[in-house]
Amino acid sequence: MTCCPITSDVNAGICLACSYHCHEGHELVELYTKRYFRCDCGTPKFPTSNPCKLNAEKPSSNTDNKYNQNFKGKYCTCSRPYPDPEDTVEDNMIQCIICEDWYHGRHLKMDNLPADEDYAEMVCFQCTVKLPFLRNYLSDTTVRCEKETTEVDVCSVENKTDSNEDIANEENISLNSEVTCKIKEAKDCSPVSETLFLKENWRKDLCTCGSCDELYKNLKVSFLVDPEDTVIYYESQGRSKRALAPSGVQREIDALSSLDRITRTELVHEYNNLSTSLRDYLRKFAENGKVVRDEDIREFFSQLSANKKQKKDSFQYFCK
């Protein structure tokens, strides 16, 4: 937000490493995970006075990057910041796995939301209109369309005999078999504006026949069949790395991991702000050879609290 203010027409983002090395002390908005994105630090989107310190030979622009309103610190259909100091209603936000925007639970057009443990991923009501085939993979047993249909396997192979199967195994060749598409044979639903909550591993049931692969490609959602695309995989990789951390650090990481994602993100952001501010404050004492007194520390935290209140009172909001 410091290099690309909310009032500008420029959308840009940076990686975690550049937030530490190139934009220390800047106002930042945590976006969590984003597909189709490469760090913009050092590109023409940023001031020439703030080049990337980690990679001086970055491309002139990231033409494949995809941006949404989150890059301006706005979320959901209400286009409000998070956390929103003007919102008095306690409500968790959930990320859509397709558009990757975050939504208030009360803005998902549902009377009752499922419990957190009852689903792994959410597709917002705006994305289900564009991807009606996803309704074939609801985790419950309710058929969400008017057509009376019969269940079929994800991909059933026809016209295959024991003899040619044995030959394929022995000679290690593929069979030119006809594949029945689950989407076409099962529940051919029409587009409906409906939020979907899907259980863990539901993506394994996605049809991967030739026509469906082409459909995913045309709709630009081929990532759905990538096993490394899910947040569950992303977080499992993080846990694997944490397992290699020193024991003292591990206890701190475990304590942080026990918090929910939103609280964890806010805590890390506030810690980074505190660390940067305190380092800048103490630098003056080091440069002048002065001793830091108790009253100096009290003055620092008093000023920090006053700055936070002033920043909150003067925050500007932009709505559609």
Side-chain angles (χ1 to χ4, degrees):
M1 292 302 174
T2 300
C3 292
C4 297
I6 195 172
T7 54
S8 72
D9 295 329
V10 178
N11 282 313
I14 58 176
C15 65
L16 181 64
C18 283
S19 72
Y20 293 144
H21 293 274
C22 311
H23 302 268
E24 185 179 5
H26 289 192
E27 182 183 357
L28 303 172
V29 174
E30 170 65 42
L31 298 185
Y32 202 46
T33 57
K34 292 291 183 188
R35 300 185 196 96
Y36 308 121
F37 179 78
R38 184 170 60 188
C39 181
D40 286 317
C41 179
T43 68
K45 290 196 171 193
F46 285 84
T48 56
S49 59
N50 194 27
C52 182
K53 300 176 183 177
L54 300 178
N55 185 0
E57 299 180 356
K58 283 194 174 181
S60 58
S61 61
N62 294 321
T63 55
D64 293 333
N65 278 10
K66 304 295 182 184
Y67 304 93
N68 62 10
Q69 65 173 349
N70 298 167
F71 287 83
K72 291 298 184 185
K74 297 185 288 187
Y75 307 87
C76 191
T77 55
C78 59
S79 295
R80 296 291 295 172
Y82 188 87
D84 186 351
E86 291 190 356
D87 189 357
T88 59
V89 179
E90 291 188 9
D91 196 354
N92 289 333
M93 299 195 79
I94 310 170
Q95 187 181 36
C96 172
I97 63 169
I98 305 298
C99 65
E100 296 190 294
D101 201 350
W102 293 81
Y103 294 83
H104 293 102
R106 65 185 186 276
H107 293 160
L108 287 173
K109 294 186 176 181
M110 296 188 70
D111 294 333
N112 297 298
L113 298 181
D116 291 345
E117 61 272 15
D118 291 338
Y119 72 95
E121 297 183 311
M122 182 273 286
V123 180
C124 73
F125 59 88
Q126 299 179 107
C127 289
T128 55
V129 174
K130 304 173 186 176
L131 310 172
F133 69 88
L134 289 180
R135 300 174 71 228
N136 295 336
Y137 302 98
L138 286 169
S139 56
D140 57 25
T141 57
T142 303
V143 178
R144 300 283 184 101
C145 62
E146 297 178 356
K147 292 186 178 182
E148 184 177 351
T149 60
T150 57
E151 295 291 338
V152 298
D153 294 334
V154 175
C155 287
S156 60
V157 180
E158 300 176 349
N159 302 324
K160 184 166 65 175
T161 66
D162 291 338
S163 58
N164 60 25
E165 184 177 351
D166 292 337
I167 293 174
N169 291 332
E170 292 175 2
E171 298 183 6
N172 195 27
I173 61 175
S174 60
L175 297 172
N176 294 322
S177 306
E178 182 181 350
V179 177
T180 301
C181 174
K182 181 179 180 181
I183 291 179
K184 291 181 179 179
E185 298 293 333
K187 309 182 186 75
D188 186 15
C189 300
S190 58
V192 176
S193 178
E194 174 188 28
T195 297
L196 303 182
F197 287 87
L198 300 156
K199 289 193 175 182
E200 186 176 351
N201 296 325
W202 72 273
R203 297 196 196 192
K204 291 183 179 179
D205 291 331
L206 281 167
C207 184
T208 55
C209 70
S211 60
C212 284
D213 281 342
E214 188 65 23
L215 173 68
Y216 304 151
K217 181 178 178 181
N218 292 336
L219 294 173
K220 299 181 179 180
V221 292
S222 296
F223 55 80
L224 286 175
V225 293
D226 180 0
E228 297 183 5
D229 176 78
T230 66
V231 171
I232 293 175
Y233 176 85
Y234 171 78
E235 293 183 339
S236 68
Q237 291 295 100
R239 286 193 294 271
S240 298
K241 293 178 181 178
R242 289 198 297 270
L244 302 176
S247 58
V249 176
Q250 184 61 45
R251 286 194 296 270
E252 297 176 0
I253 293 176
D254 289 341
L256 192 63
S257 299
S258 66
L259 305 173
D260 63 84
R261 193 203 66 82
I262 295 173
T263 304
R264 187 167 65 243
T265 299
E266 292 175 355
L267 182 60
V268 171
H269 182 66
E270 289 299 324
Y271 173 81
N272 289 338
N273 285 341
L274 173 61
S275 176
T276 300
S277 300
L278 184 58
R279 185 164 51 250
D280 292 342
Y281 181 75
L282 296 177
R283 184 180 295 118
K284 296 182 295 183
F285 290 88
E287 291 173 350
N288 297 320
K290 293 184 177 180
V291 176
V292 182
R293 303 169 299 172
D294 289 346
E295 49 264 39
D296 294 324
I297 298 300
R298 285 194 290 269
E299 179 186 358
F300 165 78
F301 282 104
S302 177
Q303 185 61 44
L304 187 68
S305 178
N307 290 343
K308 287 185 63 176
K309 184 178 184 304
Q310 182 180 10
K311 181 178 179 180
K312 179 178 178 180
D313 294 342
S314 61
F315 198 94
Q316 298 184 38
Y317 302 100
F318 298 86
C319 300
K320 290 183 178 178

